[in-house]
Amino acid sequence: MLNSTPLVASIVVAIAGALILWSNPERRVNRVVFTCSLNIALWLFLLHLALTSPRGSAAGLFWLRCACTVGGSTLLHFWLVKDSIAAGGDNVFVGKWIRSNWWLLAVSLVLMVIPFTDFFIPSHSTATSRLHGWGYSVFNYGILALFTFLFVTAFRNIKKLDGARRLELQVWLGGGCAMGVTVLGLMALN
């Protein structure tokens, strides 16, 4: 297996998440950040598999579809991090969170399914003649819109918080949204 930047980054992100969890496993924010880091590490590992597959192989396209699917779920994890930080020490019941964020679950599910359709990358697309369907644009613009909405919502929550929780929200969501928009920008340039 070849070393690549996504593989090294995947390992670093997984270790960072494990260290965050290890520092205080009873804290809900640490547990959610750990699962978010595992999600990002999985996305990077799948991207590594897609990039190191033989050019033009069906395996490369499969791993790319898997990476995009996991990438579509990353936004949901960032939203969970935001809500965990904003709630502070309050216990948030899963049922209550699902009822108030059902639309986010539905949109995330759609974004996770799109990469495995021909609307994303048609089956007749080749390495020499890359084709993207309308689902590719829906996927990218959908994630961009949700990252923007998440950033605006987090910014509103920042005004209501103070101290360490405010700083956590700025670092995690500011950095997370910047990372997401950067990845989308690099995809557009590619």
Side-chain angles (χ1 to χ4, degrees):
M1 184 173 284
L2 301 172
N3 286 336
S4 68
T5 304
L7 178 62
V8 173
S10 173
I11 294 167
V12 169
V13 168
I15 290 171
L19 290 173
I20 289 168
L21 179 66
W22 175 75
S23 70
N24 190 355
E26 284 81 34
R27 190 166 179 245
R28 182 183 55 235
V29 173
N30 290 29
R31 292 190 307 264
V32 174
V33 167
F34 171 67
T35 61
C36 185
S37 67
L38 288 181
N39 186 283
I40 293 170
L42 177 61
W43 168 70
L44 288 165
F45 181 71
L46 292 170
L47 185 61
H48 161 75
L49 292 176
L51 294 174
T52 57
S53 294
R55 187 164 173 84
S57 71
L61 181 58
F62 172 76
W63 292 122
L64 177 66
R65 291 179 191 275
C66 289
C68 289
T69 295
V70 171
S73 70
T74 302
L75 189 77
L76 184 62
H77 261 105
F78 277 123
W79 202 275
L80 287 167
V81 169
K82 178 194 77 73
D83 285 350
S84 295
I85 293 170
D90 301 337
N91 288 327
V92 177
F93 296 103
V94 174
K96 180 181 176 184
W97 189 90
I98 290 173
R99 280 192 301 279
S100 63
N101 293 295
W102 64 269
W103 64 272
L104 181 64
L105 292 168
V107 170
S108 294
L109 183 63
V110 167
L111 290 174
M112 291 169 63
V113 169
I114 286 176
F116 279 99
T117 66
D118 264 2
F119 303 119
F120 187 72
I121 297 176
S123 55
H124 57 275
S125 178
T126 64
T128 56
S129 175
R130 292 183 184 180
L131 300 174
H132 297 127
W134 59 266
Y136 190 81
S137 297
V138 168
F139 178 83
N140 289 321
Y141 287 124
I143 288 182
L144 181 62
L146 286 175
F147 266 120
T148 303
F149 185 69
L150 175 64
F151 182 76
V152 168
T153 306
F155 186 74
R156 287 183 186 149
N157 285 351
I158 286 173
K159 293 179 180 181
K160 299 175 188 172
L161 300 175
D162 58 356
R165 287 183 22 210
R166 183 178 189 152
L167 184 60
E168 278 181 326
L169 200 58
Q170 288 173 338
V171 168
W172 285 111
L173 275 297
C177 290
M179 182 219 34
V181 170
T182 301
V183 167
L184 289 173
L186 290 173
M187 285 174 66
L189 289 174
N190 187 25

